[in-house]
């Protein structure tokens, strides 16, 4: 889930460790969890529930941009047709993914 895009998600003051903790906490505390943002913030450490919720909103915006084709897929250099085929398959798979 970590974003390497130039968007607001990932460009803040969160460390890689906090970002990984954030992603793990999102998997643990789904939208129906009581006190979701409090628990996510506690799992991340050094952040507030409001900051955790804002980080989530930025992540969702990034994912929507990717799904809507606003972020180009990288043009990886390959050394053979089999790799190119796998990359095309991966691009197709990524384009067909949707948020739930």
């Amino acid at each position: 889930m970590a974003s390497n895009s130039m968007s607001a998600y990932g460009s803040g003051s969160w460390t890689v460790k906090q970002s990984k903790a954030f992603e793990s906490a999102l998997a643990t505390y789904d939208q129906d969890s009581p006190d979701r943002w409090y628990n996510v913030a506690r799992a991340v450490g050094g952040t507030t529930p409001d900051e955790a919720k804002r980080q989530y909103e930025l992540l969702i915006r990034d994912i929507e941009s990717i799904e809507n084709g606003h972020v180009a897929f990288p043009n990886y250099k390959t050394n053979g047709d089999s790799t190119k085929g796998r990359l095309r398959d991966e691009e197709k798979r990524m384009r067909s993914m949707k948020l739930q």
Side-chain angles (χ1 to χ4, degrees), residues 13-24:
S13 60
W14 286 36
T15 65
V16 171
K17 185 177 179 180
Q18 284 177 309
S19 293
K20 292 293 182 186
F22 173 72
E23 293 168 8
S24 179

Side-chain angles (χ1 to χ4, degrees), residues 38-82:
Y38 170 81
N39 290 321
V40 170
R42 189 181 63 187
V44 169
T47 190
T48 68
D50 286 341
E51 290 168 335
K53 185 175 180 183
R54 176 71 179 143
Q55 189 77 351
Y56 177 77
E57 291 166 351
L58 294 171
L59 173 62
I60 293 302
R61 188 171 63 194
D62 276 1
I63 291 169
E64 288 171 348
S65 291
I66 292 166
E67 288 180 345
N68 291 326
H70 299 164
V71 177
F73 282 91
N75 187 14
Y76 295 110
K77 293 182 180 180
T78 61
N79 292 330
D81 289 336
S82 64

